[in-house]
Amino acid sequence: MPKNKTHSGSKKRFKVTGSGKIQRLQAGRKSGAAFASAPTTGSRKKHRRNAGLVELAPADVKRAKKLLGR
């Protein structure tokens, strides 16, 4: 029987923690120079709020684990 392959798009978007939880990037980071050191649009508070990883919603965990081969 062939081995299962990890979905290449999923492995770029999700990270599995040591305890098995799945994390994703916070949405809404791509516009408004979110990656710049000095934001050009929106407040600094908005850019801080969108920084970092958040836990995946419980409804999406089963599908994400299947795509990641877990």
Side-chain angles (χ1 to χ4, degrees):
M1 183 150 177
K3 291 183 178 180
N4 289 331
K5 295 198 179 223
T6 303
H7 191 269
S8 60
S10 296
K11 67 185 176 187
K12 297 168 191 172
R13 287 168 173 83
F14 301 122
K15 176 187 171 191
V16 182
T17 64
S19 61
K21 294 178 183 175
I22 299 182
Q23 293 186 316
R24 63 168 174 82
L25 274 177
Q26 179 71 38
R29 289 168 53 106
K30 293 295 183 184
S31 62
F35 295 110
S37 58
T40 55
T41 58
S43 63
R44 291 181 186 274
K45 181 178 179 181
K46 173 184 156 187
H47 294 285
R48 280 197 311 271
R49 192 170 61 230
N50 283 340
L53 297 168
V54 292
E55 197 174 333
L56 197 64
D60 299 326
V61 169
K62 185 177 177 182
R63 188 182 323 146
K65 282 191 175 182
K66 183 179 178 187
L67 289 169
L68 291 170
R70 294 193 170 248

